[in-house]
Amino acid sequence: MPGKAAPVAEAAPEGETRFAEHAPEGRLTAQRGLYAGPAPIVSKDLYAELEWGSAVRDRDALTVEPSSKVTGNTYFGRFPASYWQRWTTVTSVTVEAVVSGDGLLSVGASDLQGDARVVNAEQVSGAKARKVTMSASLDKFYDGGALWLDLETEGGQTLRVEQVRWTVEAPAVIRPTAVTICTMNRADDCLKNLQALAADVSSLHTLDAIYVADQGTDLVESRDGFEQVAKDLGDKLHYIKQPNLGGAGGFTRGLYEVAGHTATEHANVLFMDDDVLLEPDLVVRMTAFSNRAANPIIVGGQMLNLLHPNQLHVGAEYARLNTLEPGQPVTHSLSTADLLGVDEDTLKPNRQERRLDAGYNGWWSCLIPYEVVKAIGYPMPFFFQWDDAEYSYRAREYGFPTVTLPGAGVWHADFHWKDWDEWHRYFNLRNSIITAALHSPFNLNLLSRVLLAQLVRYLLGMQYGLSATLIKAVEDFLEGPEVLRDGGVAAMKEIRRIRGEYPETKRHKATDVPGIASNDIGIINSAPRPSMQRLVLIKRVIDRVLGRSRFGLGAVPIDEAHWWHIALFDTAVVTDASQEGVRVRTYDKVKMFDLARRGAKVIQRLRKEGAGVQEQYKRAMPELTSRENWKRLYEL
């Protein structure tokens, strides 16, 4: 059977040391100079851009033809000098390259405005696999700016560079690092990332262990390639099968294992999603940054959109806790930005020049030092959604900020291609309210208005299942900490059962909509956003109460499925955000009134009881985030 001979480590006994600090071997590699991505769908221009002439760009080497110039002033080519100056004790960086041929190598630099300058350069002639080193001081980048390597030839010259490394002085000892991959029935995706790590010598050398927390029924170890990758990774791979406790339970397992098997508090755990397209150099960049940080910090990687590989999801983000709004770009942050394009206002290339302070970082790639775990405990047993934000905001209260490191990126499925009206919206809502209770002023009047506004929009949009999801989330918050006792397993089953009672939560093929002939569904477009939304809202509510509508049946594109438009229909066939089907929303006066009553009642309860429940969560947090609680959840 495939995978039968592979090592399977079911939670090794505590006290067995796997992690210890070790002496550095020479200078510390902070990042590598790469000239092509990990997959053909990734543009090489994200790594090095041809300014003129021609060049051959390979993964580890670059050949510049005569009369040509290649710049490393790109997303993956830039060294984030501002971040290194602000957060580490490093004062200079050296770029090293093995060079053959003739040409000019220069180290470029930018400032917070993106204005470029040259800080070092070397002309080579007749080089044959010669090592060239150039240094740059990290002293003029506090508010922003980066460094990069440019390569240029004149007529008759050819220049080849390989083994490009950005190095810094190594610390006295190197922190051990473990990668943790949480997976749930994405066996093929997870296996690809294990293979990517196994094939990348530098990244693999940087890691002391790789944990796979497999919570699915379609197991990674069942795949034909697993046995070979297990051999390639050797004793670094620890494959653990455990109950499905969501992303929180999967990622926390890595923290749990490292804590039980480390001889030092100076260890790192690097979270990584199972379904990302991995740039293995992320491991090198994030661990090096952590190794030279002046104080322990959470180091986050950035997310690029997998369906649009040139797009950066966000430069750095924060959450408006009291209004339950995650994923807010911080001031000056790039957001859904084409990294190969230009800013429409400044006409400058989309580069993140200014240094940004993040509120939190998503766990698609996020490095957490063990010192943080010792100080603040483990993540909340949220199942998933908001576990990453809650942990970063809790860590900040203890003096551990989160830094989102530019150039440390992975590709993850675009968020806006996931429909909001799904069962996981329950966890998003419930956990956001808990996080607000723990880490915000928890203004209950403001929070109640936010939830009531959401409920009204859902009801006008004929999203009755989503309305029920919101009500259930608030009800369960008011149940207090006991709702987290099983890690979310019962809540997941219950919300799926509840949502199953509402037809519009189901997706159908556009040509096979139950009870509606395909040829009868024509697109009815939305009017522009109303200038007087409050008056329009009142009018739509009155029309709904009186059972009045403008359209009997129509199709609505997902980007026009606004409450003010959907409220005009008896039946609206709305495109799913995934673009793989449609949802059928049908006006139901009885459901609308019932959900409105229930929603108003539970939101009123929140206003009255919220402060008391808040105190319950605060009192319970130390126990909920304890090692003992997670040990119980893991059934160890």
Side-chain angles (χ1 to χ4, degrees), residues 333-452:
S333 173
L334 294 175
S335 180
T336 318
D338 180 1
L339 295 170
L340 304 183
V342 298
D343 183 275
E344 293 181 358
D345 295 325
T346 65
L347 299 182
K348 291 184 177 181
N350 280 325
R351 305 281 183 266
Q352 186 184 308
E353 300 292 1
R354 288 181 180 268
R355 179 174 50 78
L356 309 174
D357 283 344
Y360 71 99
N361 201 94
W363 283 354
W364 48 76
S365 56
C366 190
L367 183 149
I368 299 176
Y370 179 46
E371 293 98 317
V372 177
V373 184
K374 284 194 70 175
I376 78 170
Y378 292 84
M380 289 283 281
F382 273 173
F383 197 78
F384 77 149
Q385 302 276 329
W386 280 81
D387 41 5
D388 45 16
E390 189 282 323
Y391 201 74
S392 275
Y393 279 103
R394 184 174 7 135
R396 183 173 293 277
E397 292 170 4
Y398 284 77
F400 301 105
T402 295
V403 176
T404 298
L405 188 65
V410 296
W411 290 268
H412 185 283
D414 307 30
F415 285 155
H416 64 273
W417 284 61
K418 296 181 178 181
D419 207 283
W420 195 242
D421 192 355
E422 291 288 356
W423 63 271
H424 50 68
R425 178 66 179 141
Y426 161 84
F427 288 99
N428 189 295
L429 279 164
R430 187 201 70 182
N431 297 344
S432 66
I433 301 171
I434 297 172
T435 303
L438 293 172
H439 305 297
S440 84
F442 206 50
N443 182 325
L444 290 167
N445 289 329
L446 174 60
L447 178 58
S448 297
R449 289 198 301 270
V450 167
L451 290 169
L452 189 60

Side-chain angles (χ1 to χ4, degrees), residues 318-590:
Y318 72 102
R320 295 190 184 107
L321 298 180
N322 214 153
T323 52
L324 316 182
E325 296 175 274
Q328 303 298 308
V330 305
T331 304
H332 301 300
S333 173
L334 294 175
S335 180
T336 318
D338 180 1
L339 295 170
L340 304 183
V342 298
D343 183 275
E344 293 181 358
D345 295 325
T346 65
L347 299 182
K348 291 184 177 181
N350 280 325
R351 305 281 183 266
Q352 186 184 308
E353 300 292 1
R354 288 181 180 268
R355 179 174 50 78
L356 309 174
D357 283 344
Y360 71 99
N361 201 94
W363 283 354
W364 48 76
S365 56
C366 190
L367 183 149
I368 299 176
Y370 179 46
E371 293 98 317
V372 177
V373 184
K374 284 194 70 175
I376 78 170
Y378 292 84
M380 289 283 281
F382 273 173
F383 197 78
F384 77 149
Q385 302 276 329
W386 280 81
D387 41 5
D388 45 16
E390 189 282 323
Y391 201 74
S392 275
Y393 279 103
R394 184 174 7 135
R396 183 173 293 277
E397 292 170 4
Y398 284 77
F400 301 105
T402 295
V403 176
T404 298
L405 188 65
V410 296
W411 290 268
H412 185 283
D414 307 30
F415 285 155
H416 64 273
W417 284 61
K418 296 181 178 181
D419 207 283
W420 195 242
D421 192 355
E422 291 288 356
W423 63 271
H424 50 68
R425 178 66 179 141
Y426 161 84
F427 288 99
N428 189 295
L429 279 164
R430 187 201 70 182
N431 297 344
S432 66
I433 301 171
I434 297 172
T435 303
L438 293 172
H439 305 297
S440 84
F442 206 50
N443 182 325
L444 290 167
N445 289 329
L446 174 60
L447 178 58
S448 297
R449 289 198 301 270
V450 167
L451 290 169
L452 189 60
Q454 287 187 19
L455 180 63
V456 171
R457 291 197 299 271
Y458 296 160
L459 291 174
L460 286 175
M462 299 186 291
Q463 293 178 289
Y464 305 123
L466 189 54
S467 301
T469 302
L470 181 150
I471 292 166
K472 177 65 174 171
V474 179
E475 286 175 345
D476 282 1
F477 167 78
L478 291 170
E479 287 295 311
E482 276 301 311
V483 76
L484 302 176
R485 196 61 57 191
D486 70 345
V489 177
M492 176 190 64
K493 294 176 181 176
E494 179 63 9
I495 195 60
R496 284 180 157 175
R497 184 197 66 77
I498 290 171
R499 288 176 56 83
E501 298 174 356
Y502 297 90
E504 84 282 353
T505 64
K506 299 176 176 62
R507 192 170 68 199
H508 309 279
K509 291 182 179 179
T511 54
D512 189 21
V513 178
I516 302 175
S518 177
N519 289 356
D520 291 342
I521 310 171
I523 295 174
I524 299 178
N525 295 109
S526 172
R529 179 180 291 274
S531 57
M532 304 177 72
Q533 286 195 45
R534 185 166 295 182
L535 288 177
V536 173
L537 179 70
I538 293 170
K539 186 177 186 302
R540 295 290 189 270
V541 169
I542 292 171
D543 286 343
R544 274 304 185 217
V545 169
L546 297 177
R548 295 193 301 232
S549 60
R550 186 178 303 175
F551 307 111
L553 171 67
V556 180
I558 184 62
D559 64 334
E560 297 186 5
H562 314 295
W563 59 263
W564 65 83
H565 185 50
I566 300 296
L568 299 174
F569 290 79
D570 288 330
T571 297
V573 180
V574 181
T575 311
D576 189 80
S578 68
Q579 297 291 305
E580 295 178 2
V582 296
R583 312 278 188 105
V584 181
R585 305 188 197 174
T586 301
Y587 175 61
D588 188 318
K589 188 173 182 179
V590 173

